[in-house]
Amino acid sequence: MEKIYSENQSKCKLTKANSETIAFLMSYSKSLQIVECNNMQFESNLN
Amino acid sequence: MELQIDDSVLVKDYIKGNEKALEVLINRHNQRISSFIYSKVLDKDITQDIFQDTFIKVINTLKRGKYSEEGKFLPWVMRISHNLVIDHFRRNKRMPKFEGTDDFNIFSVIGDQKLNVEKQMIKDQIDSDLNVMIEELPEDQKEVLVMRIYKDMSFKEISENTGVSINTALGRMRYALINLRKIIDKNNIVLTN
């Protein structure tokens, strides 16, 4: 397909992840526990 | 001037269990990482998804203690998000999704041929009105009209079935239509969909 260079060159826009995403990541981080046992790692996610 | 704690210090704090440190890190680099992802995918929702997946990976790696501190937290996070962007495009290549742009929408070319509920109701109403009016026609005209329109017979077949000449059948059809129009005009019936 042809490439159109004439317009829409710059689509860079400053965006930010919204607060819900950050809140989710924080609670995910808090709930995640890594337990190590005999050189093995176990993930546990406490909701 | 506010003193900014170094990324590497915050990472160490987080690994030690200080959840607040992660929040500072996310907020500090939020705009750069989000804008980087957006510049590649050009979709806000996908940007949010990839941003989230990026930090899930970051959290997993940090909690597992697999992160080696080389003073390059941001480049490392950017690399993760870059890889996830590539994954996203790979996935989409396998399952291409067509989306209409502002200039061209596929649904302006391909339409749904079926009538919507309202139009179907109007059509049913018109059909039933028409049936009532056809009943008003003289018997010989009604016979020809029903055979021609509803039974889709040719005038030759009609003439054979009714025992009149083709010209008579044509004439009756003509009068049937004229009479139907008269009934419609007389009663001010609107038969449009």
Side-chain angles (χ1 to χ4, degrees):
Chain A
M1 214 160 148
E2 63 173 339
K3 286 190 167 67
I4 301 166
Y5 295 103
S6 56
E7 53 183 27
N8 292 337
Q9 276 283 318
S10 173
K11 287 196 171 158
C12 291
K13 207 170 107 179
L14 289 177
T15 57
K16 269 189 155 186
N18 57 27
S19 51
E20 289 106 71
T21 311
I22 294 169
F24 168 80
L25 285 167
M26 289 315 296
S27 31
Y28 173 77
S29 162
K30 279 171 197 154
S31 68
L32 185 72
Q33 293 270 336
I34 304 282
V35 182
E36 202 164 329
C37 177
N38 298 335
N39 285 333
M40 282 187 284
Q41 286 182 327
F42 298 97
E43 243 177 62
S44 61
N45 213 332
L46 303 165
N47 279 314
Chain B
M1 209 177 97
E2 202 183 317
L3 193 76
Q4 202 181 34
I5 308 164
D6 210 54
D7 281 355
S8 55
V9 178
L10 287 168
V11 170
K12 271 182 202 148
D13 275 4
Y14 176 65
I15 293 169
K16 280 180 200 153
N18 181 4
E19 299 286 338
K20 194 81 189 150
L22 180 74
E23 200 175 352
V24 177
L25 280 170
I26 292 176
N27 285 325
R28 184 180 290 173
H29 301 302
N30 184 349
Q31 194 176 49
R32 271 189 80 170
I33 297 164
S34 297
S35 306
F36 168 73
I37 300 166
Y38 185 82
S39 73
K40 305 275 183 246
V41 298
L42 303 174
D43 184 294
K44 277 201 166 162
D45 296 330
I46 296 167
T47 304
Q48 297 282 339
D49 286 354
I50 294 177
F51 182 88
Q52 186 174 305
D53 290 348
T54 303
F55 272 93
I56 286 175
K57 278 193 185 253
V58 169
I59 290 166
N60 277 330
T61 312
L62 292 179
K63 287 231 170 182
R64 283 166 188 269
K66 284 185 178 167
Y67 174 72
S68 61
E69 177 58 61
E70 289 166 12
K72 287 177 182 168
F73 178 74
L74 183 63
W76 173 61
V77 180
M78 293 286 244
R79 173 52 60 184
I80 294 173
S81 59
H82 181 253
N83 290 342
L84 287 171
V85 169
I86 292 172
D87 285 351
H88 160 75
F89 281 115
R90 263 194 211 133
R91 223 178 10 248
N92 266 26
K93 210 173 174 184
R94 232 176 289 147
M95 287 189 290
K97 187 171 81 172
F98 181 82
E99 268 180 13
T101 58
D102 293 341
D103 311 326
F104 173 77
N105 189 340
I106 189 71
F107 293 113
S108 62
V109 185
I110 307 170
D112 183 6
Q113 296 298 317
K114 267 170 75 180
L115 295 169
N116 63 24
V117 176
E118 189 190 356
K119 289 205 168 146
Q120 185 62 50
M121 283 171 81
I122 295 171
K123 188 179 177 295
D124 292 345
Q125 183 67 50
I126 290 172
D127 288 350
S128 70
D129 285 354
L130 207 56
N131 279 333
V132 174
M133 285 188 293
I134 289 166
E135 288 303 316
E136 297 286 312
L137 291 172
E139 200 57 43
D140 53 348
Q141 292 172 17
K142 187 170 84 183
E143 191 183 24
V144 174
L145 186 131
V146 170
M147 280 178 167
R148 180 74 196 109
I149 305 293
Y150 290 98
K151 296 181 184 166
D152 207 22
M153 290 160 79
S154 68
F155 281 105
K156 192 171 172 232
E157 287 166 331
I158 295 169
S159 78
E160 282 163 4
N161 269 282
T162 52
V164 295
S165 72
I166 291 180
N167 278 335
T168 312
L170 283 164
R172 283 179 184 170
M173 182 69 192
R174 191 174 113 82
Y175 279 110
L177 294 177
I178 290 170
N179 284 329
L180 273 180
R181 289 202 186 99
K182 273 188 194 161
I183 299 169
I184 291 167
D185 278 348
K186 202 170 83 185
N187 297 298
N188 285 326
I189 300 167
V190 181
L191 292 176
T192 47
N193 201 338

